[in-house]
Amino acid sequence: MYLRSRLLIEDSLLLITLDEPIGTEQRAALAQAVDQLVGEHRPVGMVFTLGPAAGSAAAVSVILRTYRHWARIGVPMAVATPPAAVRYLIRANQPALPVHTDTDDALSAIRTLVRRQAAAAGPKAAVRR
């Protein structure tokens, strides 16, 4: 399993990329690695990018779990993945999770959502660090 991550410093967004498919035996390790990244970086939002070959059912399961867990805490998330079948699977299981074909579109959507949340929270809202 090869997982890359990058914290976009200018707006505290976490970009997580998985380029290889994972099997069910790797699902727990991936979920733990993602939770650790989010816990370490404390981003205000995140984008999970699945490469064309990475859209296995196990990877989708981790994405859905990650979304449910971190959305409850208030960390917005979006997914970017080219394969239509993977986007359909994610939308069918979690319609509230934004899914895009392009990483830049997903980042733009999260930036907009974070700005809206900050505006709704008022001027005293602090950025999580």
Side-chain angles (χ1 to χ4, degrees):
M1 172 178 65
Y2 182 65
L3 185 69
R4 291 179 287 142
S5 68
R6 180 169 58 122
L7 182 66
L8 305 176
I9 301 297
E10 68 275 4
D11 46 17
S12 192
L13 295 180
L14 182 61
L15 177 61
I16 300 171
T17 304
L18 180 65
D19 287 322
E20 300 173 358
I22 65 160
T24 54
E25 66 281 350
Q26 295 170 299
R27 186 173 40 206
L30 178 60
Q32 183 178 14
V34 170
D35 284 348
Q36 183 176 351
L37 285 168
V38 178
E40 287 173 3
H41 295 296
R42 289 292 182 207
V44 297
M46 73 176 109
V47 170
F48 206 118
T49 301
L50 287 177
S56 66
V60 169
S61 172
V62 170
I63 286 173
L64 295 173
R65 178 212 168 272
T66 300
Y67 174 75
R68 285 189 305 271
H69 176 75
W70 291 102
R72 264 186 271 134
I73 296 170
V75 179
M77 179 177 149
V79 177
T81 186
V86 178
R87 291 192 314 271
Y88 175 81
L89 182 60
I90 293 169
R91 287 180 182 135
N93 285 282
Q94 187 52 259
L97 175 57
V99 184
H100 302 270
T101 57
D102 181 74
T103 301
D104 290 336
D105 291 343
L107 284 167
S108 179
I110 287 300
R111 285 182 179 115
T112 299
L113 184 56
V114 166
R115 280 194 301 271
R116 284 184 191 150
Q117 287 178 339
K124 292 186 179 184
V127 174
R128 242 182 313 225
R129 285 284 171 179

